[in-house]
PDB file of all heavy atoms in Angstrom:
ATOM      1  N   ASP R 178      26.860  17.293   0.503  1.00 84.00           N
ATOM      2  CA  ASP R 178      28.209  17.805   0.768  1.00 84.00           C
ATOM      3  C   ASP R 178      29.249  17.143  -0.126  1.00 84.00           C
ATOM      4  O   ASP R 178      30.152  17.796  -0.634  1.00 84.00           O
ATOM      5  CB  ASP R 178      28.586  17.567   2.239  1.00 84.00           C
ATOM      6  CG  ASP R 178      27.804  18.479   3.172  1.00 84.00           C
ATOM      7  OD1 ASP R 178      27.300  19.516   2.689  1.00 84.00           O
ATOM      8  OD2 ASP R 178      27.672  18.146   4.360  1.00 84.00           O
ATOM      9  N   LYS R 179      29.130  15.820  -0.326  1.00 77.00           N
ATOM     10  CA  LYS R 179      30.197  15.076  -0.996  1.00 77.00           C
ATOM     11  C   LYS R 179      29.820  14.545  -2.375  1.00 77.00           C
ATOM     12  O   LYS R 179      30.665  14.029  -3.097  1.00 77.00           O
ATOM     13  CB  LYS R 179      30.644  13.913  -0.105  1.00 77.00           C
ATOM     14  CG  LYS R 179      31.195  14.402   1.239  1.00 77.00           C
ATOM     15  CD  LYS R 179      31.604  13.243   2.118  1.00 77.00           C
ATOM     16  CE  LYS R 179      32.125  13.757   3.464  1.00 77.00           C
ATOM     17  NZ  LYS R 179      32.443  12.666   4.398  1.00 77.00           N
ATOM     18  N   LEU R 180      28.528  14.598  -2.699  1.00 74.00           N
ATOM     19  CA  LEU R 180      27.998  14.204  -4.004  1.00 74.00           C
ATOM     20  C   LEU R 180      28.301  12.750  -4.381  1.00 74.00           C
ATOM     21  O   LEU R 180      28.307  11.880  -3.534  1.00 74.00           O
ATOM     22  CB  LEU R 180      28.463  15.198  -5.070  1.00 74.00           C
ATOM     23  CG  LEU R 180      27.986  16.647  -4.797  1.00 74.00           C
ATOM     24  CD1 LEU R 180      28.471  17.582  -5.876  1.00 74.00           C
ATOM     25  CD2 LEU R 180      26.472  16.702  -4.677  1.00 74.00           C
ATOM     26  N   ALA R 181      28.579  12.483  -5.650  1.00 67.00           N
ATOM     27  CA  ALA R 181      28.524  11.137  -6.211  1.00 67.00           C
ATOM     28  C   ALA R 181      29.200  10.015  -5.416  1.00 67.00           C
ATOM     29  O   ALA R 181      28.602   8.970  -5.215  1.00 67.00           O
ATOM     30  CB  ALA R 181      29.066  11.170  -7.644  1.00 67.00           C
ATOM     31  N   PRO R 182      30.440  10.154  -4.975  1.00 75.00           N
ATOM     32  CA  PRO R 182      31.095   9.019  -4.299  1.00 75.00           C
ATOM     33  C   PRO R 182      30.317   8.504  -3.096  1.00 75.00           C
ATOM     34  O   PRO R 182      30.283   7.302  -2.845  1.00 75.00           O
ATOM     35  CB  PRO R 182      32.446   9.598  -3.881  1.00 75.00           C
ATOM     36  CG  PRO R 182      32.686  10.727  -4.826  1.00 75.00           C
ATOM     37  CD  PRO R 182      31.340  11.311  -5.099  1.00 75.00           C
ATOM     38  N   CYS R 183      29.693   9.405  -2.362  1.00 79.00           N
ATOM     39  CA  CYS R 183      28.905   9.009  -1.192  1.00 79.00           C
ATOM     40  C   CYS R 183      27.732   8.133  -1.601  1.00 79.00           C
ATOM     41  O   CYS R 183      27.454   7.102  -0.990  1.00 79.00           O
ATOM     42  CB  CYS R 183      28.417  10.248  -0.458  1.00 79.00           C
ATOM     43  SG  CYS R 183      27.071   9.943   0.685  1.00 79.00           S
ATOM     44  N   LEU R 184      27.036   8.516  -2.667  1.00 85.00           N
ATOM     45  CA  LEU R 184      25.862   7.777  -3.125  1.00 85.00           C
ATOM     46  C   LEU R 184      26.256   6.395  -3.623  1.00 85.00           C
ATOM     47  O   LEU R 184      25.552   5.397  -3.386  1.00 85.00           O
ATOM     48  CB  LEU R 184      25.163   8.561  -4.240  1.00 85.00           C
ATOM     49  CG  LEU R 184      23.756   8.102  -4.605  1.00 85.00           C
ATOM     50  CD1 LEU R 184      22.840   8.138  -3.393  1.00 85.00           C
ATOM     51  CD2 LEU R 184      23.199   8.977  -5.716  1.00 85.00           C
ATOM     52  N   GLU R 185      27.374   6.339  -4.283  1.00 84.00           N
ATOM     53  CA  GLU R 185      27.882   5.057  -4.780  1.00 84.00           C
ATOM     54  C   GLU R 185      28.123   4.087  -3.623  1.00 84.00           C
ATOM     55  O   GLU R 185      27.735   2.910  -3.681  1.00 84.00           O
ATOM     56  CB  GLU R 185      29.194   5.312  -5.534  1.00 84.00           C
ATOM     57  CG  GLU R 185      29.809   4.086  -6.144  1.00 84.00           C
ATOM     58  CD  GLU R 185      31.096   4.425  -6.887  1.00 84.00           C
ATOM     59  OE1 GLU R 185      31.340   5.609  -7.173  1.00 84.00           O
ATOM     60  OE2 GLU R 185      31.845   3.481  -7.176  1.00 84.00           O
ATOM     61  N   ALA R 186      28.730   4.580  -2.553  1.00 85.00           N
ATOM     62  CA  ALA R 186      29.003   3.733  -1.393  1.00 85.00           C
ATOM     63  C   ALA R 186      27.714   3.272  -0.726  1.00 85.00           C
ATOM     64  O   ALA R 186      27.567   2.108  -0.353  1.00 85.00           O
ATOM     65  CB  ALA R 186      29.871   4.500  -0.381  1.00 85.00           C
ATOM     66  N   VAL R 187      26.752   4.181  -0.597  1.00 89.00           N
ATOM     67  CA  VAL R 187      25.481   3.857   0.059  1.00 89.00           C
ATOM     68  C   VAL R 187      24.736   2.781  -0.721  1.00 89.00           C
ATOM     69  O   VAL R 187      24.219   1.810  -0.142  1.00 89.00           O
ATOM     70  CB  VAL R 187      24.607   5.120   0.194  1.00 89.00           C
ATOM     71  CG1 VAL R 187      23.170   4.744   0.523  1.00 89.00           C
ATOM     72  CG2 VAL R 187      25.166   6.034   1.273  1.00 89.00           C
ATOM     73  N   CYS R 188      24.640   2.936  -2.041  1.00 90.00           N
ATOM     74  CA  CYS R 188      23.924   1.952  -2.851  1.00 90.00           C
ATOM     75  C   CYS R 188      24.600   0.581  -2.787  1.00 90.00           C
ATOM     76  O   CYS R 188      23.926  -0.457  -2.794  1.00 90.00           O
ATOM     77  CB  CYS R 188      23.823   2.431  -4.301  1.00 90.00           C
ATOM     78  SG  CYS R 188      22.717   3.841  -4.509  1.00 90.00           S
ATOM     79  N   SER R 189      25.925   0.574  -2.712  1.00 89.00           N
ATOM     80  CA  SER R 189      26.643  -0.689  -2.576  1.00 89.00           C
ATOM     81  C   SER R 189      26.329  -1.353  -1.249  1.00 89.00           C
ATOM     82  O   SER R 189      26.221  -2.578  -1.161  1.00 89.00           O
ATOM     83  CB  SER R 189      28.159  -0.449  -2.693  1.00 89.00           C
ATOM     84  OG  SER R 189      28.482  -0.004  -3.994  1.00 89.00           O
ATOM     85  N   GLU R 190      26.177  -0.536  -0.205  1.00 90.00           N
ATOM     86  CA  GLU R 190      25.821  -1.096   1.104  1.00 90.00           C
ATOM     87  C   GLU R 190      24.407  -1.680   1.093  1.00 90.00           C
ATOM     88  O   GLU R 190      24.166  -2.759   1.642  1.00 90.00           O
ATOM     89  CB  GLU R 190      25.918  -0.004   2.176  1.00 90.00           C
ATOM     90  CG  GLU R 190      27.343   0.369   2.525  1.00 90.00           C
ATOM     91  CD  GLU R 190      27.382   1.435   3.604  1.00 90.00           C
ATOM     92  OE1 GLU R 190      26.786   2.497   3.414  1.00 90.00           O
ATOM     93  OE2 GLU R 190      28.004   1.182   4.644  1.00 90.00           O
ATOM     94  N   ILE R 191      23.471  -0.968   0.470  1.00 92.00           N
ATOM     95  CA  ILE R 191      22.094  -1.469   0.389  1.00 92.00           C
ATOM     96  C   ILE R 191      22.065  -2.783  -0.382  1.00 92.00           C
ATOM     97  O   ILE R 191      21.258  -3.674  -0.098  1.00 92.00           O
ATOM     98  CB  ILE R 191      21.175  -0.407  -0.262  1.00 92.00           C
ATOM     99  CG1 ILE R 191      21.074   0.830   0.638  1.00 92.00           C
ATOM    100  CG2 ILE R 191      19.780  -0.977  -0.529  1.00 92.00           C
ATOM    101  CD1 ILE R 191      20.339   1.997   0.032  1.00 92.00           C
ATOM    102  N   ASP R 192      22.988  -2.933  -1.345  1.00 91.00           N
ATOM    103  CA  ASP R 192      23.068  -4.158  -2.134  1.00 91.00           C
ATOM    104  C   ASP R 192      23.575  -5.343  -1.303  1.00 91.00           C
ATOM    105  O   ASP R 192      23.564  -6.483  -1.769  1.00 91.00           O
ATOM    106  CB  ASP R 192      23.974  -3.941  -3.347  1.00 91.00           C
ATOM    107  CG  ASP R 192      23.860  -5.058  -4.371  1.00 91.00           C
ATOM    108  OD1 ASP R 192      22.735  -5.548  -4.576  1.00 91.00           O
ATOM    109  OD2 ASP R 192      24.888  -5.460  -4.938  1.00 91.00           O
ATOM    110  N   GLN R 193      24.001  -5.069  -0.071  1.00 89.00           N
ATOM    111  CA  GLN R 193      24.424  -6.150   0.833  1.00 89.00           C
ATOM    112  C   GLN R 193      23.318  -6.523   1.831  1.00 89.00           C
ATOM    113  O   GLN R 193      23.467  -7.468   2.597  1.00 89.00           O
ATOM    114  CB  GLN R 193      25.677  -5.713   1.619  1.00 89.00           C
ATOM    115  CG  GLN R 193      26.861  -5.305   0.763  1.00 89.00           C
ATOM    116  CD  GLN R 193      27.299  -6.421  -0.168  1.00 89.00           C
ATOM    117  OE1 GLN R 193      27.488  -7.555   0.256  1.00 89.00           O
ATOM    118  NE2 GLN R 193      27.437  -6.109  -1.448  1.00 89.00           N
ATOM    119  N   TRP R 194      22.241  -5.761   1.832  1.00 90.00           N
ATOM    120  CA  TRP R 194      21.185  -6.016   2.818  1.00 90.00           C
ATOM    121  C   TRP R 194      20.460  -7.330   2.517  1.00 90.00           C
ATOM    122  O   TRP R 194      20.277  -7.689   1.350  1.00 90.00           O
ATOM    123  CB  TRP R 194      20.148  -4.898   2.785  1.00 90.00           C
ATOM    124  CG  TRP R 194      20.614  -3.584   3.321  1.00 90.00           C
ATOM    125  CD1 TRP R 194      21.859  -3.263   3.758  1.00 90.00           C
ATOM    126  CD2 TRP R 194      19.820  -2.397   3.448  1.00 90.00           C
ATOM    127  NE1 TRP R 194      21.899  -1.947   4.164  1.00 90.00           N
ATOM    128  CE2 TRP R 194      20.663  -1.397   3.986  1.00 90.00           C
ATOM    129  CE3 TRP R 194      18.499  -2.080   3.175  1.00 90.00           C
ATOM    130  CZ2 TRP R 194      20.212  -0.098   4.246  1.00 90.00           C
ATOM    131  CZ3 TRP R 194      18.039  -0.806   3.433  1.00 90.00           C
ATOM    132  CH2 TRP R 194      18.890   0.179   3.968  1.00 90.00           C
ATOM    133  N   PRO R 195      19.983  -8.012   3.566  1.00 89.00           N
ATOM    134  CA  PRO R 195      19.078  -9.143   3.330  1.00 89.00           C
ATOM    135  C   PRO R 195      17.737  -8.618   2.824  1.00 89.00           C
ATOM    136  O   PRO R 195      17.407  -7.457   3.033  1.00 89.00           O
ATOM    137  CB  PRO R 195      18.943  -9.776   4.719  1.00 89.00           C
ATOM    138  CG  PRO R 195      19.225  -8.660   5.674  1.00 89.00           C
ATOM    139  CD  PRO R 195      20.233  -7.776   4.998  1.00 89.00           C
ATOM    140  N   ALA R 196      16.983  -9.469   2.159  1.00 88.00           N
ATOM    141  CA  ALA R 196      15.680  -9.042   1.635  1.00 88.00           C
ATOM    142  C   ALA R 196      14.708  -8.743   2.769  1.00 88.00           C
ATOM    143  O   ALA R 196      14.848  -9.271   3.875  1.00 88.00           O
ATOM    144  CB  ALA R 196      15.104 -10.139   0.741  1.00 88.00           C
ATOM    145  N   PRO R 197      13.725  -7.841   2.543  1.00 89.00           N
ATOM    146  CA  PRO R 197      12.727  -7.546   3.583  1.00 89.00           C
ATOM    147  C   PRO R 197      11.998  -8.817   4.000  1.00 89.00           C
ATOM    148  O   PRO R 197      11.618  -9.616   3.148  1.00 89.00           O
ATOM    149  CB  PRO R 197      11.765  -6.563   2.922  1.00 89.00           C
ATOM    150  CG  PRO R 197      12.232  -6.335   1.538  1.00 89.00           C
ATOM    151  CD  PRO R 197      13.463  -7.116   1.300  1.00 89.00           C
ATOM    152  N   ALA R 198      11.821  -8.989   5.299  1.00 84.00           N
ATOM    153  CA  ALA R 198      11.162 -10.181   5.825  1.00 84.00           C
ATOM    154  C   ALA R 198      10.146  -9.764   6.882  1.00 84.00           C
ATOM    155  O   ALA R 198      10.533  -9.322   7.956  1.00 84.00           O
ATOM    156  CB  ALA R 198      12.195 -11.135   6.418  1.00 84.00           C
ATOM    157  N   PRO R 199       8.848  -9.863   6.580  1.00 82.00           N
ATOM    158  CA  PRO R 199       7.824  -9.457   7.541  1.00 82.00           C
ATOM    159  C   PRO R 199       7.989 -10.169   8.882  1.00 82.00           C
ATOM    160  O   PRO R 199       8.227 -11.376   8.935  1.00 82.00           O
ATOM    161  CB  PRO R 199       6.513  -9.881   6.860  1.00 82.00           C
ATOM    162  CG  PRO R 199       6.837  -9.903   5.409  1.00 82.00           C
ATOM    163  CD  PRO R 199       8.261 -10.342   5.321  1.00 82.00           C
ATOM    164  N   GLY R 200       7.907  -9.383   9.965  1.00 79.00           N
ATOM    165  CA  GLY R 200       7.994  -9.953  11.299  1.00 79.00           C
ATOM    166  C   GLY R 200       9.389 -10.091  11.853  1.00 79.00           C
ATOM    167  O   GLY R 200       9.571 -10.495  12.997  1.00 79.00           O
ATOM    168  N   GLN R 201      10.405  -9.753  11.044  1.00 79.00           N
ATOM    169  CA  GLN R 201      11.787  -9.886  11.511  1.00 79.00           C
ATOM    170  C   GLN R 201      12.439  -8.524  11.664  1.00 79.00           C
ATOM    171  O   GLN R 201      12.127  -7.580  10.954  1.00 79.00           O
ATOM    172  CB  GLN R 201      12.608 -10.723  10.531  1.00 79.00           C
ATOM    173  CG  GLN R 201      12.177 -12.169  10.458  1.00 79.00           C
ATOM    174  CD  GLN R 201      13.071 -12.969   9.520  1.00 79.00           C
ATOM    175  OE1 GLN R 201      14.208 -12.587   9.244  1.00 79.00           O
ATOM    176  NE2 GLN R 201      12.551 -14.069   9.015  1.00 79.00           N
ATOM    177  N   THR R 202      13.383  -8.432  12.614  1.00 78.00           N
ATOM    178  CA  THR R 202      14.223  -7.248  12.750  1.00 78.00           C
ATOM    179  C   THR R 202      15.517  -7.540  11.997  1.00 78.00           C
ATOM    180  O   THR R 202      16.208  -8.508  12.301  1.00 78.00           O
ATOM    181  CB  THR R 202      14.526  -6.952  14.227  1.00 78.00           C
ATOM    182  OG1 THR R 202      13.287  -6.739  14.900  1.00 78.00           O
ATOM    183  CG2 THR R 202      15.395  -5.712  14.370  1.00 78.00           C
ATOM    184  N   LEU R 203      15.829  -6.723  11.006  1.00 77.00           N
ATOM    185  CA  LEU R 203      16.964  -6.999  10.120  1.00 77.00           C
ATOM    186  C   LEU R 203      18.157  -6.097  10.421  1.00 77.00           C
ATOM    187  O   LEU R 203      18.002  -4.985  10.922  1.00 77.00           O
ATOM    188  CB  LEU R 203      16.534  -6.809   8.662  1.00 77.00           C
ATOM    189  CG  LEU R 203      15.375  -7.688   8.189  1.00 77.00           C
ATOM    190  CD1 LEU R 203      15.012  -7.343   6.751  1.00 77.00           C
ATOM    191  CD2 LEU R 203      15.713  -9.154   8.303  1.00 77.00           C
ATOM    192  N   ASN R 204      19.350  -6.583  10.103  1.00 74.00           N
ATOM    193  CA  ASN R 204      20.573  -5.790  10.237  1.00 74.00           C
ATOM    194  C   ASN R 204      20.894  -5.158   8.891  1.00 74.00           C
ATOM    195  O   ASN R 204      21.196  -5.852   7.927  1.00 74.00           O
ATOM    196  CB  ASN R 204      21.737  -6.689  10.680  1.00 74.00           C
ATOM    197  CG  ASN R 204      21.465  -7.324  12.032  1.00 74.00           C
ATOM    198  OD1 ASN R 204      20.928  -6.672  12.914  1.00 74.00           O
ATOM    199  ND2 ASN R 204      21.810  -8.585  12.181  1.00 74.00           N
ATOM    200  N   LEU R 205      20.798  -3.817   8.816  1.00 80.00           N
ATOM    201  CA  LEU R 205      20.940  -3.115   7.543  1.00 80.00           C
ATOM    202  C   LEU R 205      22.011  -2.031   7.641  1.00 80.00           C
ATOM    203  O   LEU R 205      21.728  -0.897   8.007  1.00 80.00           O
ATOM    204  CB  LEU R 205      19.590  -2.488   7.145  1.00 80.00           C
ATOM    205  CG  LEU R 205      18.373  -3.424   7.155  1.00 80.00           C
ATOM    206  CD1 LEU R 205      17.106  -2.646   6.845  1.00 80.00           C
ATOM    207  CD2 LEU R 205      18.546  -4.578   6.182  1.00 80.00           C
ATOM    208  N   PRO R 206      23.270  -2.346   7.302  1.00 80.00           N
ATOM    209  CA  PRO R 206      24.350  -1.360   7.443  1.00 80.00           C
ATOM    210  C   PRO R 206      24.296  -0.252   6.403  1.00 80.00           C
ATOM    211  O   PRO R 206      24.084  -0.506   5.224  1.00 80.00           O
ATOM    212  CB  PRO R 206      25.620  -2.204   7.269  1.00 80.00           C
ATOM    213  CG  PRO R 206      25.184  -3.388   6.491  1.00 80.00           C
ATOM    214  CD  PRO R 206      23.760  -3.644   6.841  1.00 80.00           C
TER     215      PRO R 206
END
Side-chain angles (χ1 to χ4, degrees):
D178 289 339
K179 299 179 181 176
L180 300 180
C183 163
L184 194 57
E185 182 179 344
V187 165
C188 290
S189 294
E190 287 181 304
I191 294 173
D192 193 38
Q193 303 302 310
W194 290 4
Q201 293 183 22
T202 300
L203 301 177
N204 299 320
L205 309 176

